[in-house]
Amino acid sequence: MLQVNALSCHRQGEWLFKELAFSVSGGELLEIRGDNGAGKTTLFKILAGLFDDYEGEVTWEIQDPPLYVGHRFGLNAQLSPVENLSFLVSLNQNAPARKDLEVALGRFNLADVLDQPCRSLSEGQRKRVALARLELTDSQIWLLDEAFSALDTKGRQVLTELCQRQVAQGGVVIFSSHQPVSDFDSARVLALGKSV
Amino acid sequence: MNPLIRECKILVRSPADTVQSVLFVVIVVMLFPLAISPDPTILAGIAAGLMWVVALLASLLAAERGIQADFADGALEQMVLGKTPLWLLCSIKAFAHWLSCGLPLLLITPLLGTMLALDGLEIFWMLASFALGLPILSLFCTLGAMLTVGLDRGSALLPLLIAPFLIPTLILGTQWVQSGGQSFYGYMLAALLSLSVVSLPLATGVAARIAVSR
Amino acid sequence: MLRWFHEWGSPKAFYLRSGKMLPWLACLTLVLLTVGLVWGLLFAPSDYQQGESVRIMYVHVPAAILAQSSYAMMAIAALIALVWRLKIADAAVQTAAPLGAMMTLLALATGSLWGKPMWGTFWIWDARLTSTLILFFLFVGVLALRSASGQGRNAGRAASVLALVGLINLPVIKYSVDWWFTLHQPASFTLTERPAMPVEMWAPLLVMVLGFYCWFALAWILRLRLEVLQRERRSEWVQRLVSP
């Protein structure tokens, strides 16, 4: 589904990565590992199609745009989790029913804050609101930048389950982490940066 | 949720922004009689131009509001990535700017006109010129905000970039009122509005893509 | 067409080829400007109405014409930068903006100097002067946005969008300023649109206009070469060029 050839990218004259090549097919789980500043976020932005200052080729064979959850979650401070989630999902597909939203948020243990404005939520709660999108999306490709950090054990568990289900259904999950994520036994690892 | 409803909800939940625009306009208009003269003939002579200049400043002041928040919280990235056409989302952003700045201005126009000693007919033409002209200001301000969002001195830059583009609207709007409603100016303003509605959201969409790739 | 673009569009090819053109262009500019200035300032007849002050025209008119067309050139470069993503086109936008702003300033300054003997004041809200002033702010806008955007390869694209929107809006702005002016000052005297200028006057003017264009091309290329060197300073060919 994804083919990356000779991908190079530099910022301020420093190479972030050079001649990167990999491919991902349906049902695969890819972990991108690297230190701070190794270019993980830039790579995710390139894969999502947000950033195009690179050399090389990135080819997707998919109909729907990939779903990207980055450092910024896209949650408006004035709106509630239900409203934000509904808006984000409806950018790509039909607006979800209130019930589905409640189920998705409830799974991430957010049933108490469904209708509170997002500005009153904690960072961890907001992260879980953003991740609740995974439950509702039709997208085959998930790009999860630093998805597992700042999550409690329960949250990690739910996310792991969701990812495993996605992969089992033939989708693709690409995620990044500072430290190895032990929750998956089948993940391929792509290491970025000089240290590896 | 429909993006239009989203914008409305955000507006309703932060009424301070809208109130700020209205108060800014009223205060600035109040300064002119104090600075120039309370004489009704002098005031009525400059009222149209004055109100247009103040409207222009208020629009520029409100330009960044919605866009800055969307950029900071990452919603802009998601809009660029989504399947919904970007020009449509940008039109809605411009509409939201009009809702929070243009519409309240239109509503207080009779009040401002009275403060500046305009008579009923002149206030009517003022309303007409605002009705056609303020959306043009909103479209340009949204473009400007999208071009400068995320830059270091973006908010200081915005008026400098966008003000020259607002000059035709300013000229046509004031001339329309001052000529006592000559239809030529009304048609030209309407033509300018339709041209802007069609073309500017496309440019704003390009600017949005550029903004998220910074 | 596209291949030609890419051949010239590569910074290295541009640098090497433009280097060969430079001496010729410099000579041409020098000759045209010298001839034009001497002819216009010393030999061309003075105006029966305005006297010697009409000679300001030989600087003002070329500057005003060049100011407008340099905006068009900048916007075309912006279009190329946006559509074909040529690096050189982005550098061209960046280097054209200050030159254009400079030309516009020159047109404004000479215009107001000319205004003193003609109108008795340095500034008058004449349609032509006003739209030149607006043009100046359009240039400044592109310049400011470009310099605030930093260095990356994508950094110039916002300024390019602005330049293009400006090009489309330029006629609208110009016409609306003209309407505004005729309304406030019907049937007035404009600076340059005069009935039948004698050939002794327009011939040196033409030479000056051509000279200004050549100067602009020369200055643009020089600045572009500098910009190219700076941007490509890490590349091999620049390294070889600098340290033989």
Side-chain angles (χ1 to χ4, degrees):
Chain A
M1 275 190 210
L2 167 67
Q3 185 75 43
V4 173
N5 279 328
L7 183 68
S8 306
C9 181
H10 59 91
R11 278 204 151 170
Q12 275 100 41
E14 296 273 321
W15 288 102
L16 279 177
F17 37 81
K18 235 177 165 174
E19 304 282 319
L20 209 58
F22 60 93
S23 67
V24 184
S25 45
E28 266 193 288
L29 203 62
L30 179 68
E31 177 181 349
I32 307 218
R33 204 177 288 171
D35 297 336
N36 279 338
K40 292 191 299 283
T41 297
T42 305
L43 181 59
F44 271 100
K45 286 193 161 189
I46 290 174
L47 294 181
L50 282 172
F51 187 71
D52 59 4
D53 186 3
Y54 58 82
E55 285 147 39
E57 274 178 19
V58 176
T59 337
W60 284 107
E61 280 168 28
I62 43 169
Q63 277 121 34
D64 289 334
L67 182 137
Y68 167 66
V69 179
H71 292 265
R72 295 183 287 191
F73 308 133
L75 305 177
N76 188 285
Q78 308 286 348
L79 301 179
S80 71
V82 167
E83 288 161 338
N84 269 314
L85 207 54
S86 166
F87 166 70
L88 290 175
V89 173
S90 66
L91 283 174
N92 280 315
Q93 60 207 56
N94 292 333
R98 163 99 195 176
K99 220 184 80 202
D100 297 337
L101 290 166
E102 278 174 10
V103 171
L105 289 164
R107 231 181 137 179
F108 275 99
N109 205 11
L110 292 161
D112 300 340
V113 292
L114 289 179
D115 292 308
Q116 279 180 27
C118 276
R119 76 181 117 81
S120 66
L121 302 189
S122 72
E123 183 70 12
Q125 282 174 316
R126 267 182 283 171
K127 169 141 231 171
R128 280 180 278 150
V129 175
L131 290 173
R133 264 176 90 189
L134 301 177
E135 183 95 359
L136 301 162
T137 180
D138 295 340
S139 188
Q140 286 178 290
I141 315 276
W142 293 357
L143 302 172
L144 312 175
D145 194 7
E146 300 286 345
F148 287 89
S149 52
L151 272 187
D152 53 14
T153 329
K154 177 91 192 319
R156 283 175 79 109
Q157 205 184 336
V158 176
L159 180 58
T160 311
E161 279 165 27
L162 279 174
C163 290
Q164 274 161 348
R165 198 182 71 193
Q166 165 82 352
V167 169
Q169 287 168 352
V172 166
V173 178
I174 302 178
F175 65 98
S176 70
S177 57
H178 290 301
Q179 67 278 64
V181 176
S182 54
D183 312 41
F184 301 106
D185 24 64
S186 59
R188 259 170 64 201
V189 175
L190 178 77
L192 287 183
K194 299 159 200 130
S195 63
V196 195
Chain B
M1 182 170 51
N2 191 313
L4 191 59
I5 299 176
R6 172 179 183 262
E7 294 297 337
C8 295
K9 281 192 172 165
I10 295 174
L11 275 183
V12 171
R13 287 183 201 170
S14 42
D17 291 342
T18 311
V19 173
Q20 216 175 41
S21 287
V22 171
L23 286 181
F24 172 79
V25 169
V26 174
I27 284 179
V28 174
V29 165
M30 183 190 79
L31 295 179
F32 281 88
L34 296 174
I36 297 173
S37 154
D39 182 357
T41 47
I42 294 180
L43 284 180
I46 57 167
L50 204 152
M51 279 163 74
W52 262 102
V53 171
V54 176
L56 196 147
L57 294 179
S59 297
L60 287 172
L61 209 62
E64 260 201 323
R65 237 178 247 156
I67 311 277
Q68 178 61 40
D70 279 348
F71 179 78
D73 66 27
L76 197 60
E77 284 178 355
Q78 299 297 337
M79 292 185 205
V80 168
L81 290 179
K83 265 194 201 161
T84 316
L86 202 48
W87 61 265
L88 184 66
L89 294 172
C90 289
S91 313
I92 291 172
K93 286 309 294 184
F95 182 71
H97 180 274
W98 179 80
L99 273 185
S100 81
C101 177
L103 185 63
L105 241 166
L106 200 61
L107 294 178
I108 59 164
T109 302
L111 173 74
L112 299 177
T114 316
M115 281 167 78
L116 295 172
L118 288 181
D119 65 26
L121 194 65
E122 285 167 319
I123 289 179
F124 171 77
W125 289 117
M126 200 66 226
L127 276 170
S129 77
F130 268 180
L132 285 181
L134 291 179
I136 307 180
L137 302 193
S138 292
L139 285 159
F140 270 111
C141 286
T142 311
L143 172 66
M146 214 56 109
L147 282 172
T148 52
V149 73
L151 292 179
D152 280 349
R153 284 164 286 126
S155 27
L157 215 56
L158 196 148
L160 188 66
L161 306 187
I162 291 305
F165 293 112
L166 306 181
I167 290 172
T169 315
L170 182 84
I171 290 175
L172 291 170
T174 47
Q175 291 307 333
W176 200 17
V177 180
Q178 282 173 358
S179 66
Q182 262 186 30
S183 49
F184 169 76
Y185 297 104
Y187 290 141
M188 289 320 281
L189 210 52
L192 196 58
L193 174 61
S194 27
L195 206 71
S196 313
V197 167
V198 174
S199 61
L200 287 177
L202 291 171
T204 312
V206 176
R209 270 182 215 289
I210 295 169
V212 295
S213 72
R214 283 203 178 106
Chain C
M1 174 79 172
L2 216 63
R3 234 178 87 196
W4 181 84
F5 256 165
H6 277 287
E7 254 171 46
W8 266 89
S10 99
K12 183 184 175 188
F14 169 80
Y15 189 86
L16 298 178
R17 290 188 192 185
S18 67
K20 289 179 198 148
M21 277 167 52
L22 272 182
W24 300 102
L25 195 57
C27 288
L28 188 63
T29 309
L30 199 67
V31 168
L32 281 172
L33 284 183
T34 317
V35 169
L37 273 179
V38 171
W39 193 358
L41 296 186
L42 300 179
F43 296 103
S46 59
D47 190 80
Y48 72 99
Q49 248 179 342
Q50 303 175 37
E52 299 296 332
S53 65
V54 75
R55 297 187 197 283
I56 298 175
M57 175 180 79
Y58 297 110
V59 179
H60 173 74
V61 173
I65 291 177
L66 189 60
Q68 289 184 17
S69 46
S70 61
Y71 195 90
M73 286 189 257
M74 180 178 77
I76 290 167
L79 182 70
I80 295 171
L82 280 177
V83 178
W84 287 287
R85 301 281 180 92
L86 279 190
K87 287 185 199 168
I88 194 88
D90 172 48
V93 176
Q94 191 181 356
T95 46
L99 284 174
M102 229 165 75
M103 266 303 119
T104 327
L105 261 190
L106 183 64
L108 282 173
T110 50
S112 90
L113 279 180
W114 198 0
K116 185 66 182 166
M118 273 179 56
W119 297 313
T121 165
F122 282 116
W123 184 261
I124 198 162
W125 289 96
D126 163 75
R128 198 169 284 259
L129 282 180
T130 310
S131 46
T132 309
L133 183 63
I134 297 171
L135 184 66
F136 174 68
F137 282 112
L138 289 179
F139 272 120
V140 169
V142 175
L143 193 58
L145 185 56
R146 184 62 188 88
S147 61
S149 307
Q151 287 300 315
R153 202 167 79 180
N154 281 338
R157 287 172 61 206
S160 293
V161 172
L162 186 70
L164 267 181
V165 175
L167 185 69
I168 296 165
N169 269 277
L170 213 51
V172 181
I173 294 175
K174 215 169 147 39
Y175 281 120
S176 62
V177 169
D178 281 350
W179 284 324
W180 161 80
F181 182 68
T182 47
L183 272 164
H184 288 276
Q185 228 160 333
S188 80
F189 178 81
T190 51
L191 280 183
T192 46
E193 273 166 23
R194 316 218 27 222
M197 196 185 281
V199 68
E200 300 86 51
M201 283 171 92
W202 68 251
L205 186 61
L206 187 68
V207 175
M208 280 305 282
V209 171
L210 288 176
F212 264 64
Y213 269 100
C214 285
W215 174 84
F216 184 80
L218 183 69
W220 201 4
I221 290 174
L222 280 174
R223 277 175 152 269
L224 249 177
R225 283 163 63 85
L226 198 65
E227 186 65 31
V228 163
L229 282 189
Q230 215 154 34
R231 289 190 185 192
E232 303 281 312
R233 62 186 178 278
R234 284 191 188 78
S235 73
E236 212 180 308
W237 67 271
V238 175
Q239 298 287 348
R240 246 185 294 137
L241 211 68
V242 181
S243 52

